[in-house]
Amino acid sequence: MTSLKRSAEGDTFGSNISNKTYVRSTRSGKVQKIVREVYLRTDIPCSSKLCKACLQSAPRNAANEVQPFVLSEKPAGTKSFPQGHYLMPDTNALLNAMDLFEQSSSFYDVIILQTVLEELQNRSLPLYNRLLGLTKSEDKRFYVFFNDFRQETFVNRDPDETVNDRNDRAVRQALKWYGQHLAQTKAKNIPAVVMLSDDQENLRKAKAEGLHAASLRQYVETLEDSDKLLDMVADVQSSGGFKKPGQMLYPEHFTTSRMMTGVKAGLMHQGIFNVSPYNYLEGSIKVPAFPKALLVLGRENINRAVDGDLVVVEVLPQDQWKEPSTKIIEEEAITKNEGADAEESQDLVSEKERKALQEEVKKTHKVKSEGGPQPTAKVVGIIKRNWRQYVGHIDPSSASKGSTQGRRMDNVFLIPMDKKIPKIRLRTRQASELMGKRLLVAIDAWERDSRHPTGHFIRSLGELETKAAETEALLLEWDVQYRPFPKTVLDCLPSEGHGWKVPASTDDPGWRDREDLRNLLICSIDPPGCQDIDDALHARKLPNGNFEVGVHIADVSHFVKPANAMDTEASIRGTTVYLVDKRIDMLPPLLGTDLCSLKPYVERYAFSVLWELNDNADIVNVRFTKSVIASREAFSYEQAQLRIDDASQQDDLTNGMRMLLMLSKKLKQKRMDAGALSLSSPEVKVQTESETSGPIDVKTKALLDTNSLVEEFMLFANISVAAKIYEAFPQTAILRRHAAPPKTNFDELSNQLKVKRGLELRSDSSKAVADSLDECVDPKEPFFNTLVRIMATRCMMSAEYFCSGTQSYPEFRHYGLASEIYTHFTSPIRRYADLVAHRQLAAAINYEAVHPTVRSRGRLEAVCKNINVRHRNAQMAGRASIAYYVGQALKGQVAEEDAFVMKIFSNGFVVLVPRFGIEGLIRLRDLAEPEPDSEFDAENYTLKTKGSREVTVELFQKVRVRVHDEKDEMTGKRGVKMELTSA
Amino acid sequence: MPLDTSTYSLALLRVDGRRWNELRRLHAQIRTQAAADGSSYLEMGHTKVMCVLTGPAEQNQSQRRGQTSGGGGSARDTASINVNVIIAGFSSVDRKKRGRNDKRTQELEITIAKTFSSIVHTHLFPHSSISISLHVLSSDGSLLAALLNAATLALIDAGIPMSDYIAACTAGSTSSHSASDDSADPLLDLNTQEEQELPYLTVATLGSSDRIAVLNCESRLQVSRLEGMLVVGVDGCKQVKQILDRVIREKGVQMIREGAVDRSDTMVMDLDE
Ligand SMILES: [Zn+2]
């Protein structure tokens, strides 16, 4: 029998093969051992422009091109390395201070090791992506050196060595090799290769081997603008490993395996931690096991969770269950006098916080209302932090008085713009300069012995309250991609630029399979001044008495080809974001406002949905086609309305619009009969003067028949397209669903209506909700119905994009529109989902082949996930922008307005001012000085004050408030303040 | 977890450190099973397969009915080739047990049987059958190619006349779907991770010629990339052929030296060392 053992190697790689063994655990909890081959080689270049040897053997791609070398021949020097230097950070250096590497004054010529890149990818995907971005930027000169594939720098893990130790050793080995290798170049000034690490042990070993190494802090101190940069060095390692075990304020988090076992056994629950907008000490977590959200009350139970984190909680015994708080607790107000320096010495729960919470507990013992107490829980561990960069400003009261002089290291508190985020402690030498500015910061850690999370400063956006700073702040806060389009994206645009035209000859490939609809009387109806015209319509009477109606949508997919740079950018942006004075486009403006935009008097490519409808607006026939159209006119809603109403206008275009209006009313009636909801959110429009762009007036949006005309046909087109693409791609159609809200969502509102007005809110179906909302009227107060609708809207789930294969058909339902199936098709210029739907529809009608990205389920799911987030963020950013401008419009003015009470707490209430569409909080202490005593009747939603001022406020009540803006001297923050003038 | 295939463009290095046009280590042995008519063992990287061959032998009833028989006209006047692929449960990471009727396995069997039916001189052995048993011990990409190569070696070991070697390998492309990315490089000899993340095809040629015997592609790919991939694949097949040929020759030399076979005039092999 011949042995199967491997014979001596005779082939090219010979002994240069190694194996890499690692284990991974799968989603189902299995552990897999994976062995992978590694081919070691000697032709991986150092990529230094000084080195001629590597250039000769440099690898070539299939087109026989050599990759250009990256590292400069004359890198910058520092005080310690006047001869110039290359940097070689280890993983922790990148994890702690990616911001440093990204800034432009230093940190050039950086060698990123494969070992480090791999480790970073495992530790933090966002950082990994940022690092890849850096390696692609030409001016930063970041080079990825695949040390694990180069024979001399490959390091095998010793039997008793940890993975970390092995990686550290690999970094040092590469450092050593680079030093020796560069020495061989015989250049006049051989740059030093410097390892950056925050690991004391690694630094010590490197120095013992005679290698250049420095901690981030040490290195930054030798740079020119060290003061500024030192702030960006994360706070964690400044204390090094020598921190004496202080007093632990928070309970320890469980280990991951303990949490996993607990969750599996049903003893613990996993969910996203949400902080109440009215009470920073109250959070809630929705878990499948409980119908009501679990409450997490108090600092100790919250145990360092931050809004958005994925946490694991343990439910508290039933005798500790509580009602959700009926009290406003604001962090700023309660902790405003705490110094940032002195905090370690304090107890975890300050006396004031304890008092604030105790009153809560007392109350819940006393009152017993409908819902009964809610289950409470405590956070035992955090699976995944959802920390991002935060915008905020320094609390001036937290800075020590001396800090206005010298450059002493100072501890200050940063108050984030997002009220749900706790104050962040920063260490800085430039407190006095940062005061009064909008700042961008990151949280580094939240240790057990620190009351507040610690973070570091990234950059300043500018003076507080300046328009530039505030606009950038809200874009950052809502993660809107607002940087200019990169060159790679602009390269995808048609080379003709604005000169592009629909080809005159119908033999041109652009005309392939396109219908010529230029003879149709098509027009568009949009808000005034709209530049990105997505849609246009037409209608005409057919000889058989039926109507032909066409919805024509900009043919964006003709210009944006799948998976090119422009498509990738658009898929990341997900949507165009509309701010009051600014639009952040999803696609470059050349397309959005010109080539795709269905402007009047020019020919444009379109994607048309054409129906034949009978008198009753029932579909006789529907078809979809790519087309060429020539819009006759671009109307604003008002212009269109005027023209329709003007009986003297009897031309075909106007008559077409009348037909559309008539049909749209029938469509709307049908939708309403099916149970579509007409919900409401306070909508206002800020009018700005074009030149100064300062707000001059705030108006509530008026709704005309023509608004609903356009809306109806867009809904109609979306539904038709949804059915078509689902038929063609049952597994991968991109659709939009709106889940029915759980019944409990309406509990509170329905109880409120019953108690206060004797009205009934039925929530068993969308039809029942719609009907009962119609009945919620107060003959004396027309706004009451809108108010209830606004409050009902907040009980709803949010609609979401999804890939049809991920849900069963009944789940496709769009609750709000009462449609079985729905998608977005009609705004491809400003929504990415629509663009995907266009591509799928084009494939469904055999216009073009299906591109793999359009039907790869995994990719579509990722796209849906992203655009769902982007969509919500865009809405929030838009609202924040309006709120800011409303504030600006009110600046220096005092307005007395009607307002309605939306929510009542034991120490204050929330009112909505319809004219400005803003909500404001009025606390007891705002009513009078000294703060009046109060009696809160939770069952009847009534708050009665006594003493210094006597008023009775109840839910849904109409009150008069004085609205003005006010700068809080303590925090330097300007905000809209409301005062109650009469109840 | 190591990096994925998207990092190729950073330094023109694949996930295992190879360049775009490099084969993995290919190691092969023949006559590993003395009791069999023909046998071989072959490794392409971590893909390890073993082949045991019986025949040509007179067909018995059970064989006539059972197993996968590859084309080759009526079983009467030519030998039928039966291929049986057994994938060991431990051969892949997920340790999934594959049944006898696993569709993927059957597809492999049919492809291999058809390929060899067209190049083995089956008309020389009427009423008989050749049974090829292929055992997958470890699977790390390019499985079909490895099976074809191992079967070639076993057929030669059994001394069954055929027109030429079948030499097979896979070829892929570095870019998964990006349409405008013209810089995509073709890749040779993909491992499992690359097969999972990138488009690829399996190609087999007749000896060192450009004649393609097998071309199998199950992934979506841009037509414009097909040509480049095919060129690299055919080129890889030539390299594979060289290696297989060397294995055969070395074994032949060794056998003659050991006196296992007589040095005869009909042997035209060049035995000079
Ligand atoms: Zn070099």
Side-chain angles (χ1 to χ4, degrees):
Chain A
M1 196 68 149
T2 322
S3 152
L4 280 182
K5 243 179 159 176
R6 200 181 273 174
S7 56
E9 310 292 349
D11 48 60
T12 41
F13 294 110
S15 57
N16 303 343
I17 304 177
S18 179
N19 282 313
K20 212 169 177 176
T21 310
Y22 59 97
V23 286
R24 73 169 176 210
S25 55
T26 64
R27 225 185 274 173
S28 55
K30 273 190 215 157
V31 174
Q32 298 178 329
K33 180 178 174 186
I34 291 172
V35 182
R36 195 181 279 169
E37 280 184 311
V38 176
Y39 291 84
L40 301 180
R41 44 200 326 133
T42 52
D43 64 351
I44 297 174
C46 64
S47 204
S48 166
K49 285 180 179 158
L50 285 169
C51 179
K52 298 284 171 288
C54 287
L55 198 59
Q56 266 163 19
S57 62
R60 287 164 188 275
N61 68 5
N64 208 23
E65 296 157 345
V66 176
Q67 285 190 322
F69 278 21
V70 176
L71 302 171
S72 156
E73 61 255 87
K74 277 204 198 96
T78 67
K79 285 173 207 160
S80 330
F81 308 105
Q83 75 274 38
H85 69 302
Y86 296 150
L87 288 173
M88 188 184 279
D90 77 352
T91 317
N92 277 317
L94 291 169
L95 279 171
N96 292 341
M98 185 60 81
D99 307 319
L100 269 179
F101 287 88
E102 282 171 335
Q103 52 86 34
S104 59
S105 67
S106 40
F107 289 86
Y108 287 91
D109 298 297
V110 180
I111 300 161
I112 303 294
L113 298 180
Q114 175 188 13
T115 312
V116 170
L117 196 65
E118 268 177 28
E119 227 182 339
L120 192 67
Q121 188 192 27
N122 297 336
R123 299 279 295 276
S124 162
L125 214 46
L127 287 179
Y128 168 80
N129 286 328
R130 279 163 70 187
L131 184 61
L132 281 189
L134 279 173
T135 65
K136 283 179 186 132
S137 128
E138 270 171 35
D139 49 327
K140 284 297 277 179
R141 302 193 295 273
F142 275 51
Y143 172 63
V144 181
F145 178 69
F146 280 75
N147 60 316
D148 284 345
F149 291 157
R150 178 142 189 151
Q151 200 161 20
E152 299 94 325
T153 52
F154 173 77
V155 168
N156 229 333
R157 190 175 141 198
D158 292 336
D160 50 357
E161 197 173 31
T162 67
V163 177
N164 268 333
D165 287 347
R166 183 257 159 207
N167 287 348
D168 287 348
R169 196 153 60 82
V171 173
R172 292 197 303 274
Q173 177 67 23
L175 186 68
K176 195 161 144 195
W177 178 81
Y178 250 98
Q180 290 166 352
H181 179 85
L182 290 176
Q184 285 167 9
T185 63
K186 310 247 173 6
K188 223 194 282 160
N189 273 323
I190 294 173
V193 186
V194 186
M195 178 176 85
L196 290 182
S197 171
D198 281 330
D199 183 333
Q200 300 298 335
E201 186 60 15
N202 199 8
L203 286 172
R204 191 187 59 74
K205 281 184 181 160
K207 282 183 180 145
E209 289 174 55
L211 303 168
H212 300 296
S215 74
L216 273 173
R217 190 162 287 279
Q218 286 163 350
Y219 174 71
V220 169
E221 272 164 3
T222 65
L223 295 175
E224 295 266 314
D225 43 1
S226 56
D227 276 347
K228 191 176 131 250
L229 295 179
L230 273 174
D231 278 0
M232 294 167 72
V233 177
D235 193 38
V236 212
Q237 80 284 348
S238 59
S239 43
F242 307 108
K243 198 162 184 176
K244 59 173 190 290
Q247 189 191 357
M248 291 304 166
L249 297 169
Y250 291 98
E252 197 170 3
H253 287 155
F254 290 178
T255 60
T256 314
S257 60
R258 183 165 170 201
M259 290 191 286
M260 285 296 126
T261 329
V263 169
K264 250 185 192 162
L267 300 171
M268 300 176 198
H269 304 275
Q270 184 179 325
I272 305 280
F273 182 74
N274 290 307
V275 175
S276 153
Y278 298 111
N279 179 351
Y280 77 103
L281 293 175
E282 176 186 311
S284 63
I285 293 160
K286 215 85 203 105
V287 298
F290 287 85
K292 279 193 170 184
L294 300 176
L295 282 182
V296 183
L297 295 170
R299 212 172 257 290
E300 196 166 347
N301 287 335
I302 291 174
N303 195 3
R304 293 171 281 156
V306 175
D307 189 63
D309 288 348
L310 181 61
V311 300
V312 169
V313 295
E314 223 172 44
V315 177
L316 296 174
Q318 200 150 357
D319 58 339
Q320 291 177 39
W321 290 13
K322 286 181 186 135
E323 310 252 330
S325 141
T326 52
K327 185 165 179 175
I328 308 148
I329 304 183
E330 288 172 307
E331 181 170 25
E332 260 174 67
I334 290 201
T335 64
K336 69 181 161 199
N337 294 324
E338 284 170 18
D341 275 318
E343 78 159 307
E344 256 82 359
S345 59
Q346 292 173 5
D347 286 336
L348 171 62
V349 182
S350 75
E351 202 49 43
K352 274 186 183 166
E353 284 179 354
R354 187 171 292 139
K355 231 171 90 190
L357 282 174
Q358 247 164 22
E359 283 166 33
E360 279 297 288
V361 180
K362 261 193 284 176
K363 197 198 81 244
T364 49
H365 281 297
K366 211 163 54 191
V367 191
K368 226 174 157 65
S369 77
E370 288 277 298
Q374 222 164 312
T376 52
K378 65 172 185 202
V379 173
V380 294
I382 290 162
I383 307 256
K384 199 162 177 254
R385 290 288 193 187
N386 190 34
W387 291 348
R388 52 186 174 92
Q389 297 180 339
Y390 300 97
V391 178
H393 66 276
I394 289 181
D395 180 354
S397 60
S398 71
S400 64
K401 292 290 161 281
S403 65
T404 41
Q405 297 120 34
R407 293 197 152 268
R408 203 168 59 83
M409 184 62 88
D410 236 337
N411 276 316
V412 290
F413 277 131
L414 179 116
I415 301 174
M417 264 172 60
D418 187 347
K419 280 214 165 128
K420 299 176 185 174
I421 305 299
K423 301 204 265 201
I424 302 165
R425 193 156 57 98
L426 302 177
R427 281 161 66 78
T428 176
R429 281 176 199 276
Q430 28 177 359
S432 53
E433 280 154 48
L434 300 181
M435 209 70 78
K437 300 237 167 74
R438 274 269 168 252
L439 306 176
L440 187 65
V441 303
I443 299 186
D444 297 319
W446 196 343
E447 300 297 337
R448 283 179 63 199
D449 56 357
S450 161
R451 252 164 80 76
H452 295 279
T454 50
H456 69 271
F457 160 75
I458 297 169
R459 69 190 168 93
S460 160
L461 309 179
E463 294 284 335
L464 276 175
E465 281 192 80
T466 54
K467 209 176 74 188
E470 297 299 332
T471 305
E472 195 179 357
L474 75 90
L475 292 176
L476 284 165
E477 233 357 65
W478 297 109
D479 196 18
V480 176
Q481 308 288 316
Y482 61 96
R483 296 214 166 81
F485 287 100
K487 188 170 172 299
T488 48
V489 170
L490 300 177
D491 284 346
C492 301
L493 293 169
S495 52
E496 300 91 336
H498 288 284
W500 182 90
K501 279 194 185 67
V502 171
S505 154
T506 50
D507 298 327
D508 189 276
W511 273 85
R512 185 184 60 85
D513 293 340
R514 269 184 203 277
E515 255 176 75
D516 185 353
L517 303 180
R518 287 177 292 182
N519 58 334
L520 293 176
L521 294 176
I522 293 170
C523 65
S524 60
I525 309 175
D526 289 285
C530 177
Q531 288 179 302
D532 42 356
I533 304 174
D534 281 302
D535 50 273
L537 304 118
H538 88 275
R540 63 178 176 182
K541 197 116 183 156
L542 292 172
N544 64 2
N546 286 345
F547 297 94
E548 178 192 81
V549 177
V551 165
H552 312 274
I553 307 299
D555 190 6
V556 178
S557 63
H558 174 82
F559 295 96
V560 185
K561 297 297 180 208
N564 68 14
M566 183 154 65
D567 182 54
T568 311
E569 180 76 21
S571 75
I572 292 168
R573 294 189 177 215
T575 173
T576 293
V577 180
Y578 293 89
L579 304 183
V580 170
D581 61 332
K582 203 175 182 163
R583 195 184 64 222
I584 291 106
D585 291 307
M586 177 180 90
L587 292 170
L590 174 66
L591 290 186
T593 60
D594 191 358
L595 305 193
C596 290
S597 177
L598 302 178
K599 299 196 294 188
Y601 330 123
V602 287
E603 293 174 8
R604 286 285 177 250
Y605 284 153
F607 206 154
S608 302
V609 183
L610 299 162
W611 297 275
E612 186 181 337
L613 301 177
N614 63 17
D615 272 341
N616 195 27
D618 296 323
I619 301 177
V620 178
N621 185 21
V622 57
R623 63 193 185 89
F624 309 91
T625 179
K626 292 252 182 170
S627 60
V628 176
I629 62 160
S631 168
R632 297 296 190 270
E633 198 61 66
F635 293 111
S636 70
Y637 292 120
E638 290 90 335
Q639 287 168 338
Q641 190 69 48
L642 287 174
R643 190 135 169 189
I644 290 171
D645 294 344
D646 181 356
S648 70
Q649 302 261 13
Q650 284 301 331
D651 55 297
D652 287 346
L653 183 62
T654 316
N655 281 330
M657 288 201 289
R658 290 191 185 114
M659 275 176 229
L660 288 169
L661 186 61
M662 179 273 289
L663 291 166
S664 76
K665 286 186 173 160
K666 289 183 175 160
L667 288 173
K668 181 162 188 179
Q669 191 52 50
K670 281 200 238 178
R671 272 199 317 118
M672 291 303 159
D673 292 346
L677 294 172
S678 147
L679 297 170
S680 212
S681 51
E683 277 197 86
V684 294
K685 189 172 166 43
V686 179
Q687 274 189 347
T688 54
E689 217 168 311
S690 53
E691 278 161 57
T692 55
S693 189
I696 53 166
D697 198 10
V698 184
K699 278 189 177 160
T700 15
K701 283 185 184 166
L703 283 180
L704 301 167
D705 275 352
T706 43
N707 287 71
S708 105
L709 180 161
V710 175
E711 193 191 335
E712 283 312 317
F713 279 105
M714 295 308 130
L715 296 177
F716 201 44
N718 287 336
I719 293 169
S720 293
V721 170
K724 180 74 184 174
I725 58 176
Y726 175 60
E727 175 198 309
F729 306 107
Q731 286 299 310
T732 53
I734 187 163
L735 300 175
R736 188 166 171 82
R737 66 192 278 268
H738 182 210
K743 211 182 161 310
T744 51
N745 280 21
F746 288 111
D747 282 356
E748 198 187 353
L749 180 61
S750 121
N751 190 47
Q752 288 169 345
L753 285 168
K754 196 162 85 195
V755 171
K756 298 308 301 178
R757 296 289 159 111
L759 292 166
E760 194 189 357
L761 182 68
R762 296 180 306 277
S763 55
D764 21 308
S765 73
S766 65
K767 174 98 179 114
V769 174
D771 291 346
S772 44
L773 281 179
D774 287 342
E775 288 157 23
C776 288
V777 284
D778 181 341
K780 288 185 297 254
E781 188 42 69
F783 188 76
F784 175 69
N785 186 261
T786 314
L787 180 71
V788 174
R789 283 181 199 277
I790 290 171
M791 291 170 73
T793 309
R794 297 188 183 170
C795 304
M796 302 283 173
M797 313 288 285
S798 48
E800 60 176 13
Y801 297 106
F802 70 105
C803 174
S804 58
T806 58
Q807 303 279 349
S808 63
Y809 191 78
E811 303 297 315
F812 288 10
R813 206 177 151 70
H814 197 294
Y815 178 83
L817 297 173
S819 173
E820 262 177 43
I821 191 166
Y822 192 67
T823 191
H824 270 164
F825 173 75
T826 53
S827 302
I829 296 178
R830 56 188 179 86
R831 289 189 307 230
Y832 190 72
D834 302 54
L835 183 52
V836 177
H838 272 234
R839 290 180 184 147
Q840 293 187 337
L841 184 65
I845 61 167
N846 292 318
Y847 173 81
E848 63 189 3
V850 208
H851 192 274
T853 55
V854 179
R855 60 174 306 171
S856 139
R857 182 162 150 184
R859 209 186 117 78
L860 280 170
E861 278 173 40
V863 165
C864 288
K865 201 172 153 196
N866 179 50
I867 54 185
N868 282 329
V869 174
R870 298 289 175 192
H871 194 82
R872 195 170 54 243
N873 284 357
Q875 282 180 332
M876 299 309 241
R879 271 183 221 163
S881 170
I882 289 176
Y884 170 72
Y885 273 94
V886 170
Q888 289 295 303
L890 287 169
K891 206 163 173 177
Q893 295 182 29
V894 181
E896 206 173 292
E897 292 293 335
D898 283 339
F900 294 84
V901 179
M902 292 186 91
K903 207 168 169 64
I904 292 225
F905 296 99
S906 59
N907 61 343
F909 50 95
V910 177
V911 294
L912 172 75
V913 182
R915 178 153 126 74
F916 301 126
I918 50 171
E919 283 166 46
L921 182 65
I922 300 178
R923 287 159 296 205
L924 285 181
R925 62 183 160 92
D926 300 330
L927 289 176
E929 192 72 41
E931 186 175 323
D933 288 335
S934 71
E935 203 172 280
F936 176 54
D937 183 349
E939 276 160 282
N940 290 308
Y941 306 100
T942 309
L943 182 66
K944 222 180 256 175
T945 67
K946 283 181 293 214
S948 51
R949 182 163 177 190
E950 290 189 17
V951 280
T952 307
V953 179
E954 49 184 353
L955 195 67
F956 302 132
Q957 189 183 1
K958 183 175 176 178
V959 293
R960 290 291 281 178
V961 291
R962 190 181 294 129
V963 186
H964 62 104
D965 87 316
E966 186 187 272
K967 189 167 175 178
D968 189 328
E969 288 310 323
M970 195 60 106
T971 61
K973 210 163 99 176
R974 188 179 290 276
V976 174
K977 278 271 144 28
M978 300 195 188
E979 273 172 48
L980 188 70
T981 52
S982 65
Chain B
M1 287 288 288
L3 301 167
D4 60 24
T5 52
S6 65
T7 55
Y8 174 79
S9 60
L10 288 176
L12 305 179
L13 283 165
R14 294 159 65 175
V15 283
D16 54 6
R18 281 181 296 153
R19 299 286 179 205
W20 59 277
N21 55 353
E22 287 172 353
L23 284 174
R24 286 178 287 178
R25 189 186 49 79
L26 203 166
H27 161 72
Q29 277 173 269
I30 59 167
R31 193 147 295 185
T32 50
Q33 232 78 352
D37 293 323
S39 56
S40 67
Y41 171 77
L42 180 129
E43 294 178 2
M44 289 171 83
H46 276 168
T47 298
K48 300 175 186 177
V49 298
M50 195 171 79
C51 182
V52 180
L53 180 145
T54 24
E58 203 173 332
Q59 239 173 351
N60 56 34
Q61 286 294 342
S62 65
Q63 273 174 325
R64 222 170 284 163
R65 269 188 276 106
Q67 292 182 350
T68 323
S69 89
S74 67
R76 291 264 126 212
D77 42 7
T78 61
S80 69
I81 295 182
N82 302 316
V83 176
N84 196 0
V85 174
I86 298 123
I87 299 179
F90 53 79
S91 66
S92 57
V93 216
D94 51 5
R95 298 190 166 243
K96 206 167 84 190
K97 211 130 179 96
R98 284 167 192 266
R100 193 143 256 292
N101 294 320
D102 180 67
K103 286 272 179 290
R104 306 281 310 168
T105 315
Q106 283 183 353
E107 218 177 314
L108 287 172
E109 288 169 347
I110 292 169
T111 311
I112 296 164
K114 281 202 170 145
T115 310
F116 285 105
S117 299
S118 65
I119 63 139
V120 171
H121 295 171
T122 50
H123 61 278
L124 298 174
F125 312 105
H127 307 292
S128 52
S129 72
I130 299 167
S131 297
I132 303 175
S133 274
L134 287 155
H135 297 261
V136 180
L137 307 176
S138 167
S139 174
D140 186 24
S142 304
L143 181 61
L144 174 59
L147 292 172
L148 286 166
N149 293 334
T152 299
L153 290 177
L155 280 161
I156 294 172
D157 181 33
I160 296 169
M162 49 195 218
S163 40
D164 206 335
Y165 286 64
I166 290 284
C169 67
T170 52
S173 177
T174 50
S175 176
S176 46
H177 41 243
S178 173
S180 68
D181 186 3
D182 297 324
S183 60
D185 276 354
L187 295 178
L188 184 62
D189 192 14
L190 282 77
N191 62 27
T192 299
Q193 193 190 2
E194 290 175 321
E195 283 187 355
Q196 280 165 353
E197 294 172 13
L198 302 173
Y200 75 100
L201 47 81
T202 302
V203 58
T205 60
L206 217 50
S208 300
S209 73
D210 281 342
R211 292 175 60 195
I212 289 173
V214 177
L215 182 58
N216 183 13
C217 176
E218 293 168 18
S219 34
R220 285 165 195 285
L221 55 96
Q222 234 81 91
V223 179
S224 56
R225 305 223 175 99
L226 182 66
E227 193 188 341
M229 285 163 65
L230 211 49
V231 169
V232 169
V234 168
D235 192 57
C237 289
K238 286 180 188 167
Q239 294 181 47
V240 170
K241 154 80 182 4
Q242 300 294 325
I243 297 169
L244 299 184
D245 201 43
R246 199 166 61 224
V247 170
I248 301 283
R249 279 170 199 273
E250 278 167 8
K251 186 71 183 178
V253 171
Q254 184 200 345
M255 283 162 73
I256 288 168
R257 203 187 293 119
E258 289 167 358
V261 283
D262 291 333
R263 191 183 200 129
S264 78
D265 297 339
T266 53
M267 237 173 173
V268 286
M269 276 185 178
D270 180 11
L271 296 182
D272 296 329
E273 281 160 63

